[in-house]
């Protein structure tokens, strides 16, 4: 935590900004919940933030739709004002910073030069490497060169959204620009992947808070995704799961099952193969998320989702690994799947229609 030295502590800045002790503790409790920690850790987080200095952060945008930036701007717990002014020292972000042109690029290079190995780099968007990276340039430099210089000298790089994490839609076949993830473009750097279209900004804040509290990055899976946000399947935490178990499926958009909130599996929902905390953290101040709103998950936090999880509104014919967990081995009311390890999704769908009908292996 001594890595950062940016004036007064975070709690002091929040207090000066009019944030009460009660609101500060609510924020710490929210962070503990997001990090899947017991509620008692809220005190530990509070103690850490009362001493921690604001970490310096630079936010790079490459091949992206700016959806992750939009998610940041709509953050409510904390608000973007709290994040930018009190929690983080955002020294470079093309969309929200005051300087432009050469002044903006100087701000970025000043951080790289003066805080080498001490700042956080956030990357939004994939990085094109074909033809020398000419398909995405900022300030006269290619995204590839910028990433090598900025991410290569950062303490850690946090990839927000699926494009920077795994290449995303720009990397979908035939991938004309040679789009790749930040890790592929700059091998050897330390990265945290927060995929999703867009990223849930609470997961970004929680990642930074974890580092400030424990002095280390959160535990991650083999894809570099924090377990606290991507450790559980959407299917197992979905509010429509009971309808899946009961064999109650939406057959057509707007039908009675759709109006009753039944399972969207037969409409192409990829929740059984997707890992994300969307059902618990949700979006828009915890208001809702796609499945709750009536649209199936299409696995946007998974690598190569645009090639492997589409067509969006059609069940996948074969998803390796589906059914290996007991929670997904039962279709309908108590229907046991005998050969779960090699089960194809079209077989599951068929079993759901009739208890007496055999599944296809």
């Amino acid at each position: 935590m001594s890595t950062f030295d940016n004036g007064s502590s975070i709690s002091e800045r929040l207090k000066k900004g009019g944030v009460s002790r009660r609101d500060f503790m609510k924020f710490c409790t929210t962070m503990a919940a997001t990090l899947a920690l017991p509620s008692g850790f809220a005190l530990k987080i509070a103690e850490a933030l009362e001493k921690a200095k604001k970490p310096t952060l630079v936010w790079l945008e490459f091949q992206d739709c700016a959806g992750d930036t939009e998610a940041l701007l709509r953050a409510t717990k904390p608000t973007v004002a709290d994040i930018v002014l009190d929690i983080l020292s955002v020294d470079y972000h093309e969309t929200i910073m005051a300087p432009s042109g050469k002044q903006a690029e100087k701000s970025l290079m000043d951080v790289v030069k003066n805080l080498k190995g001490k700042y956080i780099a956030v990357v939004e968007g994939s990085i094109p490497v074909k033809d020398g990276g000419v398909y995405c340039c900022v300030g006269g430099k290619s995204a590839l060169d910028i990433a090598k210089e900025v991410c290569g000298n950062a303490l850690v790089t946090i990839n927000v959204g699926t494009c920077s994490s795994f290449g995303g839609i720009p990397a979908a076949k035939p991938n004309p620009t040679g789009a790749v993830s930040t890790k592929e473009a700059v091998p050897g750097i330390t990265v945290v992947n927060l995929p999703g279209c867009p990223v849930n900004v609470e997961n970004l804040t929680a990642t930074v808070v974890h580092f400030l509290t424990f002095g280390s990055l959160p535990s991650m899976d083999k894809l570099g995704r924090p377990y606290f946000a991507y450790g559980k399947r959407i299917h197992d935490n979905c509010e429509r799961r009971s309808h899946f178990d009961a064999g109650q499926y939406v057959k057509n958009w707007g039908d009675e099952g759709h109006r009753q909130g039944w399972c969207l599996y037969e409409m192409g929902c990829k929740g059984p193969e997707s890992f994300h905390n969307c059902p618990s953290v949700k979006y828009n101040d915890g208001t809702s998320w796609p499945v709750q709103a009536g649209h199936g998950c299409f696995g946007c936090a998974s690598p190569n989702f645009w090639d492997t999880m589409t067509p969006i509104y059609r069940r996948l014919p074969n998803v390796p690994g589906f059914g290996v967990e007991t929670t997904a081995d039962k279709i309908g009311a108590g229907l046991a799947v005998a050969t779960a390890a090699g089960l194809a999704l079209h077989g599951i769908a068929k079993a759901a229609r009739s208890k007496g009908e055999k599944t296809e292996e």
Side-chain angles (χ1 to χ4, degrees):
M1 288 183 287
S2 60
T3 302
F4 305 107
D5 185 10
N6 205 353
S8 56
S9 69
I10 292 172
S11 65
E12 290 172 345
R13 288 178 175 270
L14 288 170
K15 188 181 298 182
K16 291 178 181 178
V19 177
S20 67
R21 178 68 181 178
R22 180 184 180 87
D23 289 337
F24 175 64
M25 290 306 301
K26 285 174 63 178
F27 167 74
C28 294
T29 301
T30 298
M31 288 297 98
T34 303
L35 288 166
L37 296 171
S39 58
F41 273 86
L43 291 175
K44 185 175 181 63
I45 292 173
E47 291 173 0
L49 296 185
E50 284 172 346
K51 301 174 182 178
K53 306 301 181 182
K54 288 174 58 176
T56 296
L57 181 148
V58 294
W59 186 299
L60 307 176
E61 290 188 71
F62 297 135
Q63 283 183 313
D64 69 317
C65 65
D68 304 299
T69 290
E70 291 293 335
L72 172 70
L73 296 176
R74 284 158 177 74
T76 57
K77 295 186 297 183
T79 66
V80 66
D82 293 332
I83 294 173
V84 174
L85 300 178
D86 300 317
I87 297 175
L88 302 172
S89 177
V90 181
D91 288 16
Y92 180 87
H93 191 309
E94 297 168 4
T95 304
I96 64 176
M97 67 190 301
S100 61
K102 293 182 179 180
Q103 288 182 322
E105 299 311 305
K106 183 179 183 303
S107 298
L108 177 60
M109 290 300 104
D110 284 346
V111 171
V112 175
K113 178 181 177 181
N114 300 325
L115 295 174
K116 184 177 181 179
K118 297 182 179 181
Y119 63 89
I120 297 172
V122 173
V123 178
E124 175 180 6
S126 60
I127 299 171
V129 296
K130 188 177 181 180
D131 299 329
V134 299
Y135 300 105
C136 181
C137 295
V138 180
K141 296 181 180 179
S142 71
L144 182 60
D145 288 337
I146 295 172
K148 287 180 178 179
E149 185 171 14
V150 178
C151 300
N153 288 292
L155 173 67
V156 61
T157 296
I158 302 177
N159 292 318
V160 293
T162 306
C163 292
S164 58
S165 297
F166 305 128
I169 293 178
K173 296 177 183 178
N175 192 1
T177 66
V180 298
S181 67
T182 307
K183 184 71 172 180
E184 292 175 279
V186 192
I189 62 174
T190 301
V191 303
V192 177
N193 290 326
L194 300 177
C197 290
V199 67
N200 192 315
V201 74
E202 286 195 39
N203 291 333
L204 170 60
T205 306
T207 299
V208 175
V209 167
H210 186 285
F211 184 79
L212 294 175
T213 303
F214 301 103
S216 63
L217 296 173
S219 178
M220 294 180 282
D221 64 16
K222 63 181 180 180
L223 297 175
R225 304 177 301 186
Y227 278 114
F228 76 81
Y230 304 90
K232 294 183 179 180
R233 285 191 307 187
I234 281 180
H235 178 71
D236 294 333
N237 286 328
C238 180
E239 60 263 59
R240 296 174 185 251
R241 176 60 195 269
S242 60
H243 294 292
F244 175 87
D245 292 336
Q248 297 173 324
Y249 300 94
V250 176
K251 304 292 184 179
N252 294 288
W253 300 116
D255 67 10
E256 183 63 23
H258 197 207
R259 292 193 293 271
Q260 294 292 329
W262 286 5
C263 179
L264 294 162
Y265 165 71
E266 292 200 10
M267 302 305 293
C269 182
K270 309 305 187 298
E273 274 300 306
S274 302
F275 292 79
H276 208 171
N277 59 357
C278 296
S280 55
V281 176
K282 302 184 180 181
Y283 288 85
N284 297 327
D285 199 15
T287 301
S288 186
W289 65 293
V291 172
Q292 182 179 341
H295 190 288
C297 165
F298 55 87
C300 70
S302 303
N304 306 314
F305 80 95
W306 199 254
D307 293 321
T308 61
M309 295 291 190
T310 51
I312 291 175
Y313 300 113
R314 185 183 304 168
R315 294 189 305 276
L316 290 174
N318 183 27
V319 180
F322 180 78
V324 296
E325 298 181 31
T326 302
T327 52
D329 287 347
K330 296 180 180 180
I331 310 299
L335 177 63
V337 179
T339 56
L343 195 62
L345 286 187
H346 61 281
I348 295 178
K350 203 169 184 180
R353 296 192 189 99
S354 173
K355 293 183 181 180
E357 187 174 350
K358 294 181 179 180
T359 60
E360 294 178 10
E361 295 183 9

